Structures are given as C-alpha cells and as structure tokens.
Amino acid sequence: MANVVVFFAQGFEEIEGLATVDILRRAGHTVHTVGLGSEVITGSHHIPVKMDDVLDTFYWADIDALVLPGGLPGATHLRDDEFLIKKLKEYSKKGKIIAAICAAPIALHRAGLLKGKKYTCYPGVEKDINQGTYTGQLVETDGKLITGCGPAATFEFAYTIAEALGTETSALREGMQYNKLLKK
C-alpha cells in the first residue's frame, strides 16, 4: 500500500483532515499526520489533534501522496510555509499525487501547481487563484492533482485519493454506507 502525508496547520478544517486520514487508513494506506510547527494542532472548531510528526523532523522517504486539508486560517498557514511549498513542487515533479481541499488550493497556487490544470475549491477562494481552470465540481482530478470543494466533499475527495493510489473503493464505500447517501 501507499505512504500518504496529510499536513495539518493551526486552524485546519477538522472534517477534511481527520475524515481523509480515517478513510485512507481504512483503505489500507499508511497515513502520516504531520503538523506545521507543533505536535498538537488545533482545528478551526477548537479540536486539538496530536500529530504523528512535525514538518521540521519528518523523514521524507517513499511518499506517494501529499494531502492538504482546508479550513481557515489553516490553509493560509499551509500556503505561507516556505518548506512545504518547496516539498509540493518537488513531489509534483516526481509525479506524486498532490491533493488539496476547500481553501487549501491556495497553497497549490503559490507552488505554481495549478498552471494549466482544472481544479475546484471552496466557492469564492478561486478569486485568489489566477492559474488553472476553476470547475466548481465536488471533486476534480487533473492528472496527479486532486482537489475538493469543501467539507461535504471530504468522503469523495478521500475515495478519489485512494483510487488514485490504486485502491478499489467499492467495498469501502458500501461498508461505510456511502452508497446509501448517493441513492437519496
């Protein structure tokens, strides 16, 4: 299975970060939660979460996907972290999966990863992005780039990442009752 890093910054959107970690782990992937500047990161709804590691000391080996949850001011902190922007560029050049949801595509924009790509984000955030083509879809995939539009897109966003990593998700979707949601 794949190695995935989910980056957390103070003020992240809890649903987007934690549900993505949960679904990818259920899919059998190794998921590393990595905090920017701290081992305990507090989300935008005041829920503190203990990370597996911090960005400054994380060991970068055999990583298959980098994932950025949104939320404010979490996405702004991700966008403003020079080291993270460098890693996004590096891993994109290596052909790895790069995924961002909600407001987090602003970090992809800063890294120059949206040029010539289709993407989605939280409505209104696209006004701060002058690269790529905004689609407004729930989840958008363009090559190895995956973006989601907000908290309600989290399940589909995480399943899309899992599928891009080679996981068949139909049993997982059924087991989590996701298919019943789609039938309404």
Side-chain angles (χ1 to χ4, degrees):
M1 286 292 158
N3 275 312
V4 179
V5 180
V6 180
F7 297 99
F8 290 81
Q10 298 294 343
F12 72 95
E13 169 53 58
E14 289 92 342
I15 291 171
E16 296 165 356
L18 297 175
T20 299
V21 170
D22 181 278
I23 290 168
L24 291 172
R25 285 183 177 173
R26 287 175 192 244
H29 300 291
T30 301
V31 181
H32 310 273
T33 58
V34 176
L36 269 67
S38 179
E39 193 173 273
V40 176
I41 303 292
T42 301
S44 60
H45 300 98
H46 313 291
I47 301 172
V49 180
K50 185 177 183 309
M51 299 290 111
D52 297 324
D53 209 334
V54 293
L55 184 60
D56 299 343
T57 61
F58 182 69
Y59 178 68
W60 293 85
D62 301 321
I63 303 302
D64 301 295
L66 305 180
V67 180
L68 308 177
L72 291 173
T76 304
H77 295 310
L78 295 172
R79 179 200 65 202
D80 294 345
D81 189 283
E82 296 292 336
F83 184 71
L84 178 60
I85 296 301
K86 176 183 159 196
K87 287 297 184 182
L88 289 169
K89 291 177 182 180
E90 176 186 332
Y91 277 77
S92 178
K93 285 180 185 168
K94 289 180 178 183
K96 303 299 181 176
I97 294 165
I98 308 292
I101 188 169
C102 193
I106 62 174
L108 304 183
H109 172 257
R110 177 144 186 252
L113 303 184
L114 297 177
K115 292 176 184 167
K117 299 285 189 177
K118 293 185 299 183
Y119 74 95
T120 193
C121 60
Y122 193 82
V125 171
E126 76 279 3
K127 293 174 183 151
D128 295 325
I129 298 172
N130 62 6
Q131 304 166 358
T133 302
Y134 171 71
T135 67
Q137 295 296 312
L138 187 67
V139 174
E140 187 66 66
T141 301
D142 191 334
K144 299 281 185 161
L145 183 75
I146 300 168
T147 51
C149 72
T154 301
F155 274 61
E156 193 61 35
F157 176 72
Y159 292 138
T160 301
I161 296 167
E163 290 164 356
L165 292 167
T167 303
E168 164 48 53
T169 64
S170 59
L172 181 60
R173 289 170 186 258
E174 186 68 31
M176 294 182 77
Q177 303 296 294
Y178 187 72
N179 294 338
K180 288 185 180 183
L181 173 69
L182 298 178
K183 292 178 184 175
K184 288 188 174 193

